[in-house]
């Protein structure tokens, strides 16, 4: 019998704790597959954030380092400076990266650290129970924006990829989504490209992945995918914002 | 030897810090116990600068000087600020090129050295600090002049060793200025 | 080796490099700037790396990453900057990683001032960050001691897998004194087989972590940490006893303040008043056992600090009510004078007689 699909060695056998329908699982798998395909698993150190993916260190089948909230890029910098020949990545959510960790993400790019960041944007704080994030859309209800986000009160949602693309050291910036099989394939390609750029020593790379949070959005998994397509993609357009060629 | 507690003070740029460092360095070369403590902070930038040097044959206690045996003052604000810290019969070495006032205390030994004029005669205004240091050494014999020269060579390195003779001259002219 | 004359901040940097420190992450703040500046000049020469971080918070988290990756790593700052680092320090202690943190402290609270102070005693010895953890805290009184403590700090950090702090006030950072570099006593140091260096496919992943969501697991971890701190209390206490024979009053003072106290002791001696000094070199663990050696002649203790009275709590605990505990301190960057300290001693004795 031919094997057509199997577990990636990029992930451990530990069962995920993620909610049903959450796309973290898909994204974890894509990262694991890429690390395995690039043959770098044994030379990779990942940095887990604070947020839903706080336990990511149990899932990736490589050395892992847990960081304080928002500080993953700083921790990754410390690791990469000690081991410049190793592959170092951070895996961060939008509360972690776009709120409490803005200084760290800006400056890891500013220093052009040869690090890859996987940025999972689901427009809400998941782990703490659905509070408003900088990425929460206008009108979107969250436990700390119970009447829907109001621009006059909380400002407009932060577009991280567009912001990162203004930093010279960020040589690869791409926004992708895991809402359809086709987009999942594109996401994997972007992740692979980001790691390849790190291996080539070109600079900092970030892949922003639009993701769902059925639990805190109060939707079913399929409704969540539709909501992502109808609400997130129009505000957070998919596409590449920077390649090393452009960065020159 | 008695413990020497020396305050060097002046404008930033008059070389008061390096004067104190050379004295400290020379003391160390002679195997004495030494400490050098600078003033630090915004006052360094263009304002007054000062450092406290302790040279002793006993271990240095506090590096902060509350009872100075000597104050070397390169400008008027420094004299006003530090003459009160001198012990009775302490030495007040005054750069008379820039200070035209008499000290207010009459229980200290004041010496007037026209350090800038002497330095200018030597062809380099920057050695005014060395003139004052030479005067100090002549009066107190805290360290040998040779030790200061050895310290200078260390601090200057080979690239600036050609400046040593002029600094030596400055030390000697300072000494001559206070020689009875 | 001949002694060399160095500024405190640079001497601490040089000592760190001698001790095998390869990485430094920091952020500018007065009065410790010469230390990161020195590291930026020197670390690359030994195959190491200096990075100026975007903040103290990032700097300590870079230390966290580098320590987890198995490196000998250091950061330095001054009081308000150390306050910012507390998050990372707590994580590093929780994850049981070795690193050295230098605090060239200044007056507070808030932005405070830049002149010497000892008002970070609580911050250094009472945690500072969240959770049940301890730092080994050295408070050198001279540059030679600062150099010795710094060199040994790296070994101790590796030995205990715990952050070690070296705290000096602005005077320690700014002054110059002759120093020499002496190898610390060799310790058997465990291999860093826990470090994140890549599995090479040859072992299970290493995980550096301070998270334990299961309360029973977290309690177990805390009990393990406490056992380690107990071992430090038993083995790493350092202190100096000075002029204790027939002392009528025993002063307790650390860092540069203890040097001023020694001047006061000399002055009092000339007046026929015998005063001793207990000088903690480790602030944590505090030298409780030194207080067992206080002579029968002693009528009172006097805590002398460049703060409004922070160490006095430990002095009271150590005295266990056996002696009245007095306090003299200056704060905000004001430095106690030997005269003022001597007067306080006379006041205490006057009151006791």
């Amino acid at each position: 019998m031919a094997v057509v699909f199997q577990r990636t060695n990029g992930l451990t056998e530990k069962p995920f704790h993620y909610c049903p329908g959450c796309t973290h699982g898909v994204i974890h798998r894509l990262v694991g597959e890429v690390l395995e395909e690039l043959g770098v698993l044994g030379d990779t150190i990942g940095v887990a954030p604070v947020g839903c993916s706080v336990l990511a260190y149990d899932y990736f089948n490589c050395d892992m380092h847990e960081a304080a909230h928002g500080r993953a890029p700083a921790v990754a910098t410390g690791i990469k400076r000690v081991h410049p020949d190793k592959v170092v990545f951070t895996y961060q959510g939008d509360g972690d990266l776009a709120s409490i960790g803005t200084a760290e993400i800006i400056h890891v790019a500013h220093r052009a650290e040869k690090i890859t960041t996987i940025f999972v944007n689901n427009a809400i704080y998941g782990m703490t129970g659905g509070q408003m994030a900088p990425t929460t859309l206008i009108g979107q209800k969250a436990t700390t924006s119970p009447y829907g986000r109001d621009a006059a009160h909380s400002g407009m949602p932060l577009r991280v990829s567009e912001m990162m693309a203004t930093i010279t050291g960020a040589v690869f910036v791409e926004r992708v989504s895991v809402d359809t099989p086709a987009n999942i394939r594109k996401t994997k390609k972007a992740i692979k490209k980001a790691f390849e750029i790190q291996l080539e020593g070109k600079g900092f790379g970030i892949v922003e992945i639009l993701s769902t949070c059925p639990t805190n959005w109060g939707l079913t998994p399929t409704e969540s995918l539709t909501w992502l397509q109808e609400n997130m993609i129009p505000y957070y357009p998919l596409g590449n914002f920077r390649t090393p060629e452009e960065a020159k | 030897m008695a413990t020497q507690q020396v305050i060097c003070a002046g404008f930033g740029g008059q070389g008061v810090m390096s004067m104190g460092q050379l004295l400290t360095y020379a003391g160390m070369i002679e195997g004495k116990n030494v400490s050098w403590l600078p003033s630090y902070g915004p006052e360094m930038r263009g304002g007054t600068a000062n450092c406290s040097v302790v040279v002793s044959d006993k271990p240095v206690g506090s590096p902060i000087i509350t009872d100075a045996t000597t104050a070397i003052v390169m400008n008027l604000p420094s004299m006003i600020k530090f003459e009160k810290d001198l012990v009775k019969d302490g030495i007040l070495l005054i750069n008379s090129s820039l200070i035209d006032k008499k000290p207010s205390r009459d229980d200290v030994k004041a010496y007037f050295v026209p350090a800038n004029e002497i330095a200018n005669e030597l062809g380099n205004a920057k050695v005014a600090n060395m003139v004052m240091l030479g005067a100090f050494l002549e009066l107190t014999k805290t360290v040998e002049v040779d030790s200061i020269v050895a310290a200078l060579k260390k601090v200057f390195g080979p690239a600036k060793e050609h400046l040593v003779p002029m600094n030596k001259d400055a030390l000697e002219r300072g000494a001559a200025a206070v020689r009875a | 080796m001949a002694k060399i004359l160095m500024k405190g901040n640079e001497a601490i940097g040089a000592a760190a490099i001698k001790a095998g420190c390869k990485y430094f992450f920091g952020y500018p703040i007065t009065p410790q700037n010469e230390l990161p500046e020195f590291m930026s000049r020197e670390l690359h020469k030994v195959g190491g790396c200096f990075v100026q971080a975007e903040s103290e918070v990032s700097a300590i988290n870079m230390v966290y990453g580098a320590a987890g990756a198995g490196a000998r790593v250091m950061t330095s700052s001054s009081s308000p900057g150390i306050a910012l680092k507390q998050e990372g320090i707590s994580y590093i202690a929780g994850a049981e990683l070795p690193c050295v943190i230098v605090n060239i402290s200044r007056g507070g609270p808030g932005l405070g001032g830049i002149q010497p102070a000892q008002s970070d005693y609580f911050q250094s010895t009472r945690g500072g960050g969240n959770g049940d953890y301890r730092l080994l805290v050295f408070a050198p009184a001279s540059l030679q001691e600062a150099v010795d403590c710094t060199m040994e700090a790296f070994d101790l950090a590796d030995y205990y897998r715990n952050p070690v702090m070296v705290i000096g006030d602005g005077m320690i950072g700014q002054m110059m004194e002759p120093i020499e570099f002496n190898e610390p006593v060799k310790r058997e140091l465990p291999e860093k087989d826990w470090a994140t260096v890549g599995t090479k496919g040859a072992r299970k992943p290493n995980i550096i972590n301070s998270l334990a969501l299961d309360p029973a697991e977290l309690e177990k971890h805390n009990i393990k940490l406490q056992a380690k701190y107990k071992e430090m209390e038993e083995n790493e206490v350092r202190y100096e006893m000075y002029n204790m024979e027939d002392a009528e009053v025993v002063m307790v003072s650390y860092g540069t303040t203890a040097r001023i106290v020694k001047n006061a002791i000399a002055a009092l001696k000339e007046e026929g008043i015998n005063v001793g000094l207990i000088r903690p070199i480790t602030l944590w663990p505090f030298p409780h056992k030194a207080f067992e050696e206080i002579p029968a002649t002693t009528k009172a203790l006097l805590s002398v600090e460049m703060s409004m009275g922070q160490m006095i709590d430990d002095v009271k605990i150590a005295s266990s009510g056996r002696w009245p505990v007095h306090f003299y301190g200056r704060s905000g960057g004001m430095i106690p004078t030997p005269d003022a300290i001597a007067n306080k001693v006379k006041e205490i004795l006057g009151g006791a007689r």
Side-chain angles (χ1 to χ4, degrees):
Chain A
M1 197 169 63
V3 175
V4 294
F5 187 79
Q6 62 181 354
R7 198 181 59 79
T8 166
N9 190 40
L11 297 176
T12 64
E13 290 182 40
K14 182 127 181 160
F16 290 149
H17 70 284
Y18 298 112
C19 303
C22 167
T23 40
H24 264 306
V26 175
I27 300 164
H28 275 35
R29 181 172 173 109
L30 296 179
V31 174
E33 283 179 0
V34 165
L35 293 174
E36 188 181 23
E37 287 165 21
L38 291 172
V40 296
L41 258 183
D43 292 304
T44 296
I45 299 136
V47 183
V50 169
C52 281
S53 45
V54 67
L55 298 174
Y57 54 77
D58 279 336
Y59 305 137
F60 290 107
N61 192 19
C62 59
D63 279 1
M64 292 294 294
H65 192 129
E66 166 58 17
H69 202 16
R71 317 294 177 231
V75 172
T77 298
I79 298 167
K80 186 72 181 190
R81 294 294 178 133
V82 174
H83 300 301
D85 54 332
K86 303 288 174 189
V87 175
V88 179
F89 75 93
T90 72
Y91 188 104
Q92 302 177 257
D94 46 322
D96 194 78
L97 183 145
S99 188
I100 196 167
T102 40
E104 285 76 9
I105 196 67
I106 296 279
H107 286 279
V108 75
H110 156 239
R111 289 188 305 269
E113 300 286 348
K114 282 80 183 168
I115 286 167
T116 304
T117 289
I118 307 300
F119 169 41
V120 180
N121 178 3
N122 60 8
I124 204 155
Y125 280 82
M127 172 69 117
T128 45
Q131 293 80 14
M132 184 183 70
T135 44
T136 296
L137 295 173
I138 297 301
Q140 186 185 342
K141 283 184 180 167
T143 58
T144 51
S145 58
Y147 312 108
R149 180 175 182 158
D150 173 11
H153 183 270
S154 308
M156 292 296 286
L158 191 65
R159 292 187 177 105
V160 170
S161 287
E162 286 82 344
M163 175 179 76
M164 296 304 292
T166 65
I167 302 168
T168 310
V171 296
F172 183 77
V173 182
E174 189 158 316
R175 185 184 288 124
V176 290
S177 170
V178 285
D179 59 313
T180 64
N183 275 342
I184 289 173
R185 276 195 297 275
K186 281 188 192 163
T187 299
K188 184 172 173 182
K189 251 173 116 172
I191 292 172
K192 196 167 207 168
K193 180 88 180 150
F195 276 106
E196 283 168 351
I197 281 163
Q198 178 179 170
L199 287 166
E200 291 159 14
K202 286 182 177 159
F204 177 74
I206 180 169
V207 183
E208 176 177 353
I209 304 166
L210 301 185
S211 179
T212 62
C213 183
T215 300
N216 289 302
W217 290 357
L219 301 172
T220 66
T222 44
E223 285 168 351
S224 294
L225 293 171
T226 309
W227 192 88
L228 185 158
Q229 288 156 359
E230 289 177 354
N231 297 282
M232 289 185 76
I233 294 177
Y235 189 80
Y236 297 118
L238 305 183
N240 182 278
F241 293 87
R242 178 70 77 74
T243 62
E245 293 70 41
E246 289 168 4
K248 269 170 196 161
Chain B
M1 68 177 286
T3 299
Q4 294 289 334
Q5 306 202 81
V6 186
I7 292 171
C8 309
F11 289 126
Q14 282 186 307
V16 293
M17 296 303 201
S18 49
M19 174 182 8
Q21 280 182 10
L22 281 170
L23 176 59
T24 311
Y25 212 132
M28 182 183 76
I29 289 171
E30 294 185 4
K32 296 186 163 86
N33 296 294
V34 293
S35 72
W36 175 89
L37 178 71
S39 59
Y40 63 89
E43 64 175 2
M44 289 180 345
R45 317 217 190 287
T48 60
N50 70 80
C51 61
S52 305
V53 177
V54 181
V55 183
S56 180
D57 48 10
K58 296 192 287 279
V60 177
S62 170
I64 301 160
I65 296 177
T66 42
D67 298 307
T69 54
T70 298
I72 305 174
V73 294
M74 298 290 283
N75 65 357
L76 184 60
S78 298
M79 184 170 84
I80 293 166
K81 188 170 178 189
F82 291 108
E83 66 168 321
K84 64 180 185 305
D85 290 337
L86 278 169
V87 294
K88 188 173 175 297
D89 296 328
I91 293 170
L92 183 57
L93 259 172
I94 298 164
N95 176 14
S96 57
S97 301
L98 297 182
I99 303 171
D100 53 10
K101 287 205 165 52
K102 293 258 177 294
S104 60
R105 281 178 65 170
D106 53 13
D107 61 342
V108 297
K109 296 177 198 153
Y111 295 87
F112 296 87
V113 180
N116 291 62
E117 274 100 330
I118 293 173
N120 286 336
E121 282 168 28
L122 289 168
N124 189 340
K126 280 187 179 168
V127 296
N129 61 342
M130 300 302 289
V131 174
M132 295 301 276
L133 185 58
F136 167 76
L137 295 179
E138 176 67 20
L139 292 168
T140 66
K141 312 287 183 200
T142 301
V143 295
E144 299 291 330
V145 174
D146 285 351
S147 304
I148 296 282
V149 174
L152 265 172
K153 284 181 180 163
K154 286 260 187 197
V155 173
F156 280 164
K160 286 191 187 166
E161 197 165 333
H162 64 279
L163 294 173
V164 171
M166 178 184 288
N167 280 274
K168 234 171 136 173
D169 287 349
L171 288 168
E172 174 47 39
R173 290 288 304 271
V178 293
R179 215 169 273 147
Chain C
M1 206 183 101
K3 289 194 174 186
I4 52 170
L5 191 64
M6 280 184 99
K7 201 169 192 180
N9 283 329
E10 298 196 340
I12 291 169
I17 292 174
K18 290 260 183 219
C21 174
K22 286 273 185 67
Y23 300 90
F24 184 99
F25 304 95
Y27 186 83
I29 182 170
T30 305
Q32 59 86 56
N33 292 316
E34 295 85 357
L35 179 40
E37 285 165 3
F38 179 85
M39 295 310 239
S40 73
R41 284 200 302 274
E42 299 297 326
L43 269 178
H44 69 98
K45 297 180 190 167
V46 294
C49 178
F50 163 90
V51 176
Q52 181 168 320
E54 62 270 26
S55 68
E56 282 94 346
V57 177
S58 285
I60 192 69
N61 282 287
M62 290 175 187
V63 169
Y64 181 32
R72 279 204 160 177
V73 56
M74 179 162 97
T75 186
S76 68
S77 191
S78 181
S79 308
I82 295 289
L84 273 170
K85 287 186 198 289
Q86 295 301 336
E87 171 193 83
I89 294 172
S90 171
Y91 276 69
I92 293 167
E96 292 194 82
L97 296 179
C99 73
V100 176
I101 301 148
V102 177
N103 181 3
I104 301 299
S105 58
R106 52 188 257 185
L111 198 47
I114 59 168
Q115 297 303 321
Q118 297 181 318
S119 43
D120 289 357
Y121 187 90
F122 288 156
Q123 183 176 247
S124 316
T125 63
R126 296 297 189 269
N130 61 302
D132 282 323
Y133 75 92
R134 293 290 192 179
L135 303 180
L136 193 53
V137 183
F138 284 107
S142 68
L143 295 202
Q144 185 59 54
E145 200 166 70
V147 162
D148 294 343
C149 289
T150 303
M151 289 181 74
E152 196 175 1
F154 284 92
D155 279 357
L156 287 165
D158 279 349
Y159 183 81
Y160 290 104
R161 286 184 61 183
N162 203 68
V164 177
M165 178 172 275
V166 178
I167 183 166
D169 54 65
M171 261 186 282
I172 289 286
Q174 295 296 321
M175 69 188 284
M176 288 177 109
E177 280 186 322
I179 50 156
E180 57 191 349
F181 299 101
N182 305 307
E183 285 290 319
V185 178
K186 277 261 174 291
R187 278 176 189 259
E188 204 61 45
L189 296 178
E191 206 171 315
K192 295 183 176 181
D193 53 6
W194 41 263
T196 54
V197 295
T199 64
K200 284 277 165 213
R203 57 161 169 78
K204 281 200 177 316
N206 282 340
I207 298 170
I208 302 293
N209 185 26
S210 67
L211 177 71
L213 291 171
D214 173 9
E217 194 193 318
L218 183 52
E219 187 186 51
K220 214 172 113 192
H221 179 58
N222 269 306
I223 290 168
K224 182 186 163 212
L225 292 180
Q226 290 303 315
K228 189 165 82 173
Y229 302 145
K230 187 103 185 38
E231 196 187 334
M232 289 183 200
E233 284 185 283
E234 277 161 16
N235 299 326
E236 307 306 339
V237 174
R238 313 279 163 84
Y239 59 93
E240 181 195 0
M241 311 274 285
Y242 180 79
N243 201 50
M244 292 295 284
E245 208 178 318
D246 301 328
E248 293 179 67
V249 172
V250 169
M251 296 200 258
V252 187
S253 191
Y254 67 96
T256 51
T257 310
R259 296 174 64 155
I260 303 168
V261 162
K262 283 184 179 178
N263 283 22
I265 288 173
L268 285 164
K269 207 166 206 165
E270 281 176 22
E271 296 181 43
I273 303 171
N274 220 9
V275 177
L277 167 68
I278 293 173
R279 177 173 73 88
I281 299 170
T282 49
L283 302 186
W284 197 92
F286 190 75
H288 291 274
K289 62 182 173 194
F291 291 72
E292 304 309 317
E293 300 169 43
I294 290 175
T297 48
T298 298
K299 299 184 189 80
L301 306 183
L302 172 61
S303 187
V304 185
E305 309 174 42
M306 279 194 280
S307 77
M308 296 313 285
Q310 297 196 6
M311 183 177 64
I312 189 171
D313 289 4
D314 280 333
V315 175
K316 282 179 179 169
I317 293 167
S319 84
S320 297
R322 287 173 285 180
W323 303 273
V325 178
H326 299 265
F327 173 74
Y328 181 76
R330 297 297 300 271
S331 125
M334 296 302 289
I335 293 164
T337 62
D339 280 356
I341 297 166
N343 285 340
K344 182 70 188 180
V345 169
K346 286 185 229 169
E347 181 195 312
I348 292 166
L349 287 173
R353 270 164 191 161

